[in-house]
């Protein structure tokens, strides 16, 4: 079971990963010299999660923030957050 | 004793302190007497970083001979310069840039997609009307006057470039295909295509500036995607589409 699934595990976006907004659409990029050379286009929910990660936070806190913003069953939010965190983890964008 | 000289790239005078005289000769067409806007110095650490990133085999790496070291200095130099140029509204763009009748067209796409080949087809088709600005890594200045494409000595394996500049008319992403087709690309699709071909600064500040410049480039320049058969027929079609939009 991935560490990121633990609700109270502290995390945030690593230095060197930044977001850019173009006409309200968010993209996540990493600075040159890092391993991840691509860019990640985030949909609205993913963008929200990425924004949460700009400060120290936890999966639980992100889910709570999403629940306050979106009218969806908590289970769906939990799955959504897990998916986004997994993707970010894979590209090396997260730090504890 | 460092070799010191000043070069003018994208209308910016840049001071250089290099290890090898070869580097100054490499930049011969761009030397200037002007006072630099900024200066860069190549250190052993910069050269070692290029060795680390290089494709050279074990034997070459162990030998670390001067010939390769000098070549790697030219790579290190461009990297240092381009890292700083982003603060002067200039981006490095991967692609083949040519000028025809005073307007620049830029062909881009994945490695091996055929951008240099496509530029060659244009040279064969239009003859003397075409000047190669830079076949591999031209510089783009983006400011109030629009987007200008500049030549530099870092011009790819066929060494095709000239110390010239021209206003950018359009950018075309090339892909090989069995049938010819050209279409304009807009919105985030176009932005993503552009962002992927631009040099990424290592500093957060430089990166933010680069992204702002990509925004401006995206706002200014029409972007096209062309599926090409890589023969002469495709040239007229692509030229017509690109010239029409600009």
């Amino acid at each position: 079971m991935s560490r990121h699934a633990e609700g109270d595990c502290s995390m945030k976006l690593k230095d060197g990963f930044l977001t850019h907004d173009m006409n309200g659409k968010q993209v996540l990029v990493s600075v040159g010299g890092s391993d991840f050379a691509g860019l990640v286009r985030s949909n609205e929910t993913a963008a929200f999660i990425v924004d949460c990660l700009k400060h120290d936070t936890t999966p639980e806190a992100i889910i709570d923030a999403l629940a306050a913003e979106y009218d969806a069953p908590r289970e769906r939010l939990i799955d959504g957050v897990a998916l986004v965190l997994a993707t970010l983890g894979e590209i090396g964008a997260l730090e504890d | 004793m460092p070799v010191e000289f000043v070069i003018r790239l994208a209308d910016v005078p840049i001071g250089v302190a290099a290890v090898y005289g070869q580097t100054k000769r490499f930049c011969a067409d761009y030397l200037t007497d002007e006072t630099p806007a900024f200066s860069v110095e190549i250190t052993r650490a910069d050269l070692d970083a290029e060795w680390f990133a290089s494709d050279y085999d074990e034997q070459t790496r162990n030998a670390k001979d001067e010939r390769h070291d000098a070549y790697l200095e030219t790579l290190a130099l461009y990297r240092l310069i381009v890292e700083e140029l982003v603060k002067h509204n200039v981006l490095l763009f991967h692609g083949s840039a040519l000028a025809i009748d005073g307007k620049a067209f830029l062909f881009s796409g994945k490695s091996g997609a055929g951008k240099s080949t496509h530029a060659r087809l244009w040279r064969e088709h239009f003859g003397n009307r075409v000047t190669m600005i830079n076949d591999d890594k031209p510089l783009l200045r983006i400011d109030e006057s629009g987007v200008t494409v500049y030549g530099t000595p870092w011009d790819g394996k066929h060494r095709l470039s000239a110390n010239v500049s021209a206003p950018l008319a359009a950018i075309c992403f090339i892909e090989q295909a069995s049938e010819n087709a050209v279409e304009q690309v807009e919105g985030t699709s176009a932005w993503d295509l552009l962002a992927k071909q631009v040099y990424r600064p290592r500093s957060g500040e430089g990166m933010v500036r680069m992204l702002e410049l990509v925004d401006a480039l995206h706002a200014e320049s029409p972007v096209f995607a062309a599926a090409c058969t890589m023969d002469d027929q495709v040239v007229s079609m692509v030229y017509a589409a690109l010239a029409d939009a600009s």
Side-chain angles (χ1 to χ4, degrees):
Chain A
M1 190 68 159
S2 140
R3 274 201 71 200
H4 298 141
E6 287 169 31
D8 58 355
C9 147
S10 161
M11 53 182 34
K12 77 186 246 254
L13 212 57
K14 227 185 230 171
D15 265 339
F17 276 84
L18 32 116
T19 64
H20 183 75
D21 247 278
M22 211 246 327
N23 288 347
K25 303 239 169 73
Q26 192 198 78
V27 68
L28 178 70
V29 292
S30 64
V31 300
S34 41
D35 286 332
F36 181 62
L39 41 90
V40 180
R41 273 242 163 249
S42 307
N43 64 16
E44 204 183 304
T45 317
F48 185 94
I49 297 170
V50 168
D51 282 339
C52 289
L53 287 161
K54 286 176 180 174
H55 309 280
D56 271 301
T57 186
T58 67
E60 205 52 37
I62 297 172
I63 294 163
D64 287 342
L66 271 173
E69 215 31 50
Y70 295 98
D71 200 15
R74 200 169 170 90
E75 276 310 307
R76 279 267 294 280
L77 297 178
I78 292 172
D79 287 343
V81 170
L83 191 58
V84 171
L85 291 180
T87 308
L88 294 176
E90 259 163 50
I91 64 173
L94 288 179
E95 78 179 10
D96 314 306
Chain B
M1 271 294 289
V3 177
E4 293 183 333
F5 53 95
V6 183
I7 55 176
R8 187 184 172 87
L9 292 180
D11 284 335
V12 180
I14 302 160
V16 180
V19 173
Y20 295 99
Q22 191 169 313
T23 301
K24 183 176 176 181
R25 289 194 290 283
F26 178 82
C27 298
D29 289 345
Y30 296 79
L31 295 173
T32 178
D33 291 330
E34 296 164 276
T35 309
F38 66 88
S39 294
V40 296
E41 179 182 0
I42 294 122
T43 63
R44 187 68 241 167
D46 295 318
L47 293 172
D48 288 341
E50 295 297 334
W51 274 101
F52 183 72
S54 76
D55 292 339
Y56 294 134
D57 57 52
E58 189 85 33
Q59 200 176 20
T60 313
R61 280 169 193 270
N62 291 337
K64 238 186 198 170
D65 64 79
E66 208 173 83
R67 184 170 64 94
H68 288 111
D69 210 35
Y71 166 68
L72 289 177
E73 180 167 74
T74 63
L75 300 189
L77 178 57
Y78 210 25
R79 215 184 284 278
L80 287 171
I81 287 175
V82 163
E83 190 76 36
E84 189 65 26
L85 274 179
V86 80
K87 298 176 199 162
H88 295 260
N89 298 330
V90 177
L91 290 178
L92 180 152
F93 199 95
H94 292 271
S96 183
L98 54 80
I100 175 169
D101 303 336
K103 292 200 284 195
F105 292 90
L106 184 50
F107 304 113
S108 194
K110 298 188 189 135
S111 251
K115 28 192 199 283
S116 279
T117 306
H118 198 77
R120 179 173 58 74
L121 289 173
W122 278 50
R123 289 199 296 282
E124 287 166 7
H125 187 94
F126 294 112
N128 288 334
R129 281 167 68 191
V130 170
T131 304
M132 285 306 298
I133 300 178
N134 185 300
D135 196 35
D136 186 40
K137 296 185 176 65
L139 294 176
L140 266 55
R141 163 183 292 285
I142 301 139
D143 58 24
E144 320 74 51
S145 50
V147 184
T148 310
V149 186
Y150 291 84
T152 78
W154 289 271
D155 52 12
K157 57 181 175 233
H158 305 296
R159 304 307 316 273
L160 291 165
S161 69
N163 188 353
V164 296
S165 66
L168 180 64
I171 302 174
C172 187
F173 285 82
I174 303 285
E175 204 172 53
Q176 287 196 44
S178 49
E179 275 177 27
N180 293 321
V182 194
E183 60 180 18
Q184 188 154 4
V185 184
E186 281 162 315
T188 53
S189 306
W191 194 95
D192 289 357
L193 284 173
L194 295 175
K196 285 184 192 161
Q197 297 302 336
V198 170
Y199 171 81
R200 284 186 193 204
R202 284 159 193 242
S203 70
E205 184 204 322
M207 190 72 190
V208 169
R209 193 70 201 110
M210 173 274 230
L211 292 167
E212 287 168 359
L213 289 171
V214 172
D215 281 349
L217 176 63
H218 177 260
E220 284 285 332
S221 313
V223 176
F224 292 84
C228 304
T229 57
M230 294 307 168
D231 55 39
D232 181 69
Q233 289 184 340
V234 74
V235 177
S236 312
M237 189 184 80
V238 174
Y239 178 67
L242 269 47
D244 213 33
S246 48

